[in-house]
Coordinates of all heavy atoms in Angstrom, one line a residue:
K1 N -15.5 -13.3 -19.0 CA -16.1 -12.2 -18.3 C -15.6 -12.0 -16.9 O -15.3 -10.9 -16.4 CB -17.6 -12.2 -18.5 CG -18.0 -12.0 -19.9 CD -19.5 -12.0 -20.0 CE -20.0 -11.7 -21.4 NZ -21.5 -11.7 -21.5
P2 N -15.7 -13.1 -16.0 CA -15.2 -13.0 -14.6 C -13.8 -12.5 -14.5 O -13.5 -11.7 -13.7 CB -15.5 -14.4 -14.1 CG -16.6 -15.0 -14.9 CD -16.3 -14.4 -16.3
L3 N -12.9 -13.1 -15.4 CA -11.5 -12.7 -15.3 C -11.4 -11.2 -15.7 O -10.6 -10.5 -15.1 CB -10.7 -13.6 -16.2 CG -10.4 -15.0 -15.7 CD1 -9.7 -15.8 -16.8 CD2 -9.5 -14.9 -14.5
T4 N -12.1 -10.8 -16.7 CA -12.0 -9.4 -17.1 C -12.5 -8.5 -16.0 O -11.9 -7.5 -15.7 CB -12.9 -9.2 -18.3 OG1 -12.5 -10.0 -19.4 CG2 -12.8 -7.7 -18.8
A5 N -13.6 -8.9 -15.3 CA -14.1 -8.1 -14.2 C -13.1 -8.0 -13.1 O -12.9 -7.0 -12.4 CB -15.4 -8.7 -13.7
F6 N -12.4 -9.2 -12.8 CA -11.4 -9.2 -11.7 C -10.3 -8.3 -12.0 O -9.9 -7.5 -11.2 CB -10.9 -10.7 -11.6 CG -9.7 -10.8 -10.7 CD1 -9.9 -10.8 -9.3 CD2 -8.4 -10.8 -11.2 CE1 -8.8 -10.9 -8.5 CE2 -7.3 -10.9 -10.4 CZ -7.5 -10.9 -9.0
F7 N -9.7 -8.3 -13.2 CA -8.5 -7.5 -13.6 C -9.0 -6.0 -13.6 O -8.2 -5.1 -13.2 CB -7.9 -7.9 -14.9 CG -7.1 -9.2 -14.8 CD1 -7.5 -10.3 -15.5 CD2 -6.0 -9.2 -13.9 CE1 -6.7 -11.4 -15.3 CE2 -5.3 -10.4 -13.8 CZ -5.6 -11.5 -14.5
T8 N -10.2 -5.7 -14.0 CA -10.7 -4.4 -14.1 C -10.8 -3.8 -12.6 O -10.3 -2.7 -12.3 CB -12.0 -4.2 -14.7 OG1 -12.0 -4.7 -16.1 CG2 -12.6 -2.8 -14.7
A9 N -11.3 -4.6 -11.7 CA -11.4 -4.2 -10.3 C -10.0 -4.0 -9.7 O -9.8 -3.0 -9.0 CB -12.1 -5.3 -9.5
A10 N -9.0 -4.9 -10.1 CA -7.7 -4.7 -9.5 C -7.0 -3.5 -10.0 O -6.4 -2.7 -9.3 CB -6.8 -5.9 -10.0
I11 N -7.2 -3.1 -11.3 CA -6.7 -1.9 -11.9 C -7.3 -0.7 -11.2 O -6.6 0.3 -10.8 CB -6.9 -1.8 -13.4 CG1 -6.0 -2.9 -14.1 CG2 -6.5 -0.5 -13.9 CD1 -6.4 -3.1 -15.5
L12 N -8.6 -0.7 -11.0 CA -9.3 0.4 -10.3 C -8.8 0.6 -8.9 O -8.6 1.7 -8.4 CB -10.8 0.2 -10.3 CG -11.5 0.3 -11.7 CD1 -12.9 -0.1 -11.6 CD2 -11.3 1.8 -12.2
L13 N -8.5 -0.5 -8.2 CA -8.0 -0.5 -6.8 C -6.6 0.1 -6.8 O -6.3 1.0 -6.0 CB -8.0 -1.9 -6.2 CG -7.4 -2.0 -4.8 CD1 -8.3 -1.1 -3.8 CD2 -7.4 -3.4 -4.3
C14 N -5.7 -0.3 -7.7 CA -4.4 0.3 -7.8 C -4.4 1.7 -8.1 O -3.7 2.5 -7.5 CB -3.6 -0.5 -8.8 SG -3.2 -2.2 -8.3
T15 N -5.3 2.1 -9.0 CA -5.4 3.5 -9.4 C -5.9 4.3 -8.2 O -5.4 5.4 -8.0 CB -6.4 3.7 -10.6 OG1 -6.0 2.9 -11.7 CG2 -6.5 5.1 -11.0
A16 N -6.9 3.8 -7.5 CA -7.4 4.5 -6.3 C -6.3 4.7 -5.2 O -6.2 5.8 -4.7 CB -8.6 3.7 -5.7
N17 N -5.5 3.7 -5.0 CA -4.4 3.8 -4.0 C -3.4 4.8 -4.5 O -2.8 5.6 -3.7 CB -3.8 2.4 -3.8 CG -4.6 1.6 -2.9 OD1 -5.4 2.1 -2.2 ND2 -4.4 0.2 -3.0
T18 N -3.1 4.9 -5.8 CA -2.1 5.8 -6.3 C -2.5 7.2 -6.1 O -1.7 8.1 -5.8 CB -1.9 5.5 -7.8 OG1 -1.4 4.2 -8.0 CG2 -0.8 6.5 -8.4
H19 N -3.8 7.5 -6.2 CA -4.3 8.8 -6.0 C -5.0 9.0 -4.7 O -5.7 10.0 -4.5 CB -5.3 9.1 -7.2 CG -4.7 9.1 -8.5 ND1 -4.6 8.0 -9.3 CD2 -4.1 10.1 -9.2 CE1 -4.0 8.3 -10.4 NE2 -3.7 9.6 -10.4
A20 N -4.8 8.1 -3.8 CA -5.4 8.3 -2.4 C -4.8 9.5 -1.8 O -3.7 10.0 -2.0 CB -5.0 7.0 -1.6
A21 N -5.6 10.1 -0.8 CA -5.2 11.3 -0.1 C -4.1 11.0 0.9 O -3.4 11.9 1.4 CB -6.4 11.9 0.6
V22 N -3.8 9.8 1.2 CA -2.7 9.4 2.1 C -2.1 8.1 1.6 O -2.7 7.2 1.2 CB -3.3 9.3 3.5 CG1 -4.3 8.1 3.6 CG2 -2.1 9.0 4.5
L23 N -0.7 8.1 1.7 CA 0.0 6.9 1.3 C 1.2 6.8 2.2 O 2.0 7.8 2.3 CB 0.5 7.0 -0.2 CG -0.5 6.7 -1.3 CD1 0.1 7.0 -2.6 CD2 -0.9 5.2 -1.2
P24 N 1.4 5.7 2.8 CA 2.7 5.4 3.6 C 3.8 5.2 2.6 O 3.6 4.8 1.4 CB 2.4 4.2 4.4 CG 1.4 3.4 3.6 CD 0.5 4.5 2.9
A25 N 5.1 5.4 3.0 CA 6.2 5.1 2.2 C 6.2 3.7 1.7 O 5.7 2.8 2.4 CB 7.5 5.5 2.9
R26 N 6.8 3.4 0.6 CA 6.7 2.1 0.0 C 7.4 1.0 0.8 O 7.1 -0.2 0.7 CB 7.3 2.1 -1.4 CG 7.2 0.8 -2.2 CD 5.8 0.5 -2.6 NE 5.6 -0.8 -3.2 CZ 5.5 -1.0 -4.5 NH1 5.6 0.0 -5.4 NH2 5.4 -2.2 -5.0
I27 N 8.3 1.4 1.7 CA 9.0 0.3 2.6 C 8.0 -0.3 3.5 O 8.2 -1.4 4.0 CB 10.1 1.0 3.4 CG1 11.0 -0.1 4.1 CG2 9.7 2.0 4.3 CD1 11.7 -1.1 3.1
F28 N 6.8 0.4 3.8 CA 5.8 -0.2 4.6 C 4.8 -0.9 3.8 O 4.1 -0.3 3.0 CB 5.1 1.0 5.4 CG 6.0 1.8 6.2 CD1 6.4 3.1 5.8 CD2 6.5 1.4 7.4 CE1 7.3 3.8 6.6 CE2 7.4 2.1 8.2 CZ 7.8 3.4 7.7
S29 N 4.8 -2.2 4.0 CA 3.8 -3.1 3.2 C 3.5 -4.3 4.0 O 4.1 -4.6 5.0 CB 4.4 -3.4 1.8 OG 5.6 -4.3 2.0
D30 N 2.5 -5.1 3.4 CA 2.1 -6.3 4.1 C 3.3 -7.2 4.4 O 4.3 -7.3 3.6 CB 1.2 -7.1 3.2 CG -0.2 -6.4 2.9 OD1 -0.4 -5.4 3.6 OD2 -0.9 -6.9 2.0
H31 N 3.3 -7.9 5.5 CA 4.3 -8.9 6.0 C 5.5 -8.2 6.5 O 6.5 -9.0 6.8 CB 4.6 -9.8 4.8 CG 3.5 -10.4 4.1 ND1 2.4 -11.1 4.7 CD2 3.1 -10.3 2.8 CE1 1.5 -11.4 3.8 NE2 1.9 -11.0 2.7
M32 N 5.5 -6.9 6.7 CA 6.8 -6.3 7.2 C 7.0 -6.6 8.7 O 6.1 -7.1 9.4 CB 6.7 -4.8 7.1 CG 5.7 -4.1 7.9 SD 5.7 -2.3 7.5 CE 4.3 -1.8 8.6
V33 N 8.2 -6.4 9.1 CA 8.6 -6.5 10.5 C 9.0 -5.1 11.0 O 9.8 -4.4 10.4 CB 9.8 -7.5 10.7 CG1 10.2 -7.6 12.2 CG2 9.5 -8.9 10.2
L34 N 8.4 -4.7 12.1 CA 8.8 -3.5 12.8 C 9.7 -3.8 13.9 O 9.7 -4.8 14.6 CB 7.5 -2.8 13.3 CG 6.6 -2.3 12.3 CD1 5.4 -1.6 12.9 CD2 7.2 -1.3 11.3
Q35 N 10.7 -2.8 14.2 CA 11.7 -3.0 15.2 C 11.1 -2.9 16.6 O 10.4 -1.9 16.9 CB 12.8 -2.0 15.0 CG 13.9 -2.1 16.1 CD 14.6 -3.4 16.1 OE1 15.0 -3.9 15.1 NE2 14.8 -3.9 17.3
R36 N 11.4 -3.9 17.4 CA 11.0 -3.8 18.8 C 11.9 -2.9 19.7 O 13.0 -2.6 19.3 CB 11.0 -5.2 19.5 CG 12.4 -5.8 19.6 CD 12.3 -7.0 20.4 NE 13.7 -7.7 20.4 CZ 14.0 -8.7 21.2 NH1 13.1 -9.3 22.0 NH2 15.2 -9.3 21.1
A37 N 11.3 -2.4 20.8 CA 12.1 -1.7 21.8 C 12.8 -0.4 21.4 O 13.7 0.1 22.1 CB 13.1 -2.7 22.4
L38 N 12.4 0.1 20.2 CA 12.9 1.4 19.8 C 11.7 2.2 19.2 O 10.7 1.7 18.8 CB 13.9 1.2 18.6 CG 15.3 0.7 19.0 CD1 16.1 0.5 17.7 CD2 16.1 1.6 19.9
P39 N 11.8 3.6 19.3 CA 10.8 4.4 18.6 C 10.7 4.0 17.1 O 11.7 3.8 16.5 CB 11.2 5.8 18.8 CG 12.1 5.7 20.0 CD 12.8 4.4 20.0
V40 N 9.5 3.9 16.6 CA 9.3 3.4 15.2 C 8.7 4.5 14.4 O 7.6 4.9 14.6 CB 8.4 2.2 15.2 CG1 8.1 1.8 13.7 CG2 9.0 1.0 15.9
P41 N 9.5 5.1 13.4 CA 8.9 6.1 12.5 C 8.0 5.5 11.4 O 8.4 4.5 10.8 CB 10.1 6.8 11.9 CG 11.2 5.7 11.9 CD 10.9 4.8 13.1
I42 N 6.9 6.1 11.1 CA 6.1 5.8 10.0 C 5.9 7.1 9.2 O 5.5 8.1 9.9 CB 4.7 5.2 10.4 CG1 4.8 4.1 11.5 CG2 3.9 4.8 9.2 CD1 5.4 2.8 10.9
W43 N 6.1 7.1 7.9 CA 6.0 8.3 7.2 C 5.4 8.1 5.8 O 5.3 6.9 5.4 CB 7.4 9.0 7.1 CG 8.4 8.2 6.2 CD1 8.6 8.4 4.9 CD2 9.3 7.2 6.6 NE1 9.6 7.6 4.4 CE2 10.1 6.8 5.5 CE3 9.6 6.5 7.8 CZ2 11.0 5.8 5.5 CZ3 10.5 5.5 7.9 CH2 11.2 5.2 6.7
G44 N 5.1 9.2 5.1 CA 4.6 9.0 3.8 C 4.1 10.4 3.2 O 4.7 11.4 3.6
K45 N 3.2 10.3 2.3 CA 2.6 11.5 1.6 C 1.1 11.6 1.8 O 0.5 10.5 2.0 CB 2.9 11.5 0.1 CG 4.4 11.6 -0.3 CD 5.0 12.9 0.0 CE 4.5 14.1 -0.8 NZ 4.9 14.0 -2.2
A46 N 0.6 12.8 1.8 CA -0.8 13.0 1.9 C -1.1 14.4 1.3 O -0.2 15.1 0.9 CB -1.3 13.0 3.4
D47 N -2.4 14.7 1.2 CA -2.7 16.1 0.7 C -2.2 17.1 1.7 O -2.3 16.9 3.0 CB -4.2 16.2 0.6 CG -4.8 15.4 -0.6 OD1 -3.9 15.1 -1.5 OD2 -6.0 15.1 -0.6

């Protein structure tokens, strides 16, 4: 039951992110490095 609940929550979280009103492009994710000393573009999709 705990494992089932965990995976259900994970699926719901992924579904929520997929349909979120705002999403950065996939290149932007945890652990990324941004370039220093230059203007840095951040882009994506939203409503």
Side-chain angles (χ1 to χ4, degrees):
K1 290 183 178 180
L3 283 174
T4 302
F6 171 79
F7 286 117
T8 300
I11 292 170
L12 288 174
L13 179 60
C14 292
T15 303
N17 281 340
T18 302
H19 295 91
V22 62
L23 280 173
R26 186 65 188 261
I27 189 64
F28 302 102
S29 66
D30 293 351
H31 315 303
M32 67 182 176
V33 180
L34 296 179
Q35 177 61 47
R36 65 171 174 172
L38 289 174
V40 175
I42 310 290
W43 69 92
K45 294 292 292 291
D47 290 341

